[in-house]
Amino acid sequence: MDLNYFLKELIMGTLFNQEPRNYRHCENTESYIENTIKLSKKYKITIDQVIAIEQLLECKRRNDLYVDNGDIHDEQMAGIGELLRNLVSVIEEKINIDPDYT
């Protein structure tokens, strides 16, 4: 393995090929209130119940983000590990080719 290959791997590594995060932004207050009232009427439940359901969904969203963050961290660590393995291989190869290289 040569240095050019290593540099190519560095550029193509997991760390540089991450998909965009799926963040959800809060809506403004007026549309939130209108949507809450609309859902309450549509499903014939109280506004308190709509808010409680939204709180449950927020808990699920937070859990999903937590799991996704762990997955992303694992992928990054795997990418760093692979890059380090490649770097060690290049260094070892260089030392074996040129014993005076230190």
Side-chain angles (χ1 to χ4, degrees):
M1 178 184 304
D2 66 359
L3 190 55
N4 289 331
Y5 177 80
F6 174 75
L7 292 175
K8 180 181 176 189
E9 286 295 309
L10 179 67
I11 293 169
M12 300 302 289
T14 303
L15 295 173
F16 303 103
N17 290 324
Q18 295 196 15
E19 295 186 19
R21 308 280 195 285
N22 184 15
Y23 293 116
R24 296 186 181 168
H25 301 284
C26 296
E27 54 191 323
N28 67 42
T29 305
E30 189 172 335
S31 65
Y32 174 79
I33 292 170
E34 289 172 359
N35 191 41
T36 302
I37 293 170
K38 202 181 299 182
L39 288 170
S40 174
K41 289 178 181 178
K42 179 178 180 178
Y43 293 104
K44 298 179 177 134
I45 58 177
T46 67
I47 290 176
D48 287 344
Q49 288 172 320
V50 173
I51 292 171
I53 292 167
E54 289 173 344
Q55 289 172 336
L56 288 172
L57 291 173
E58 175 60 17
C59 287
K60 181 187 179 320
R61 185 187 75 86
R62 286 183 185 181
N63 287 340
D64 291 345
L65 288 173
Y66 185 77
V67 169
D68 287 347
N69 186 55
D71 291 344
I72 290 165
H73 181 263
D74 291 346
E75 290 174 9
Q76 289 174 339
M77 294 307 292
I80 290 170
E82 186 62 31
L83 293 173
L84 289 173
R85 184 181 300 137
N86 291 343
L87 179 60
V88 167
S89 176
V90 168
I91 291 170
E92 286 174 342
E93 185 176 295
K94 184 67 175 173
I95 289 172
N96 290 336
I97 292 172
D98 185 1
D100 295 328
Y101 181 79
T102 53

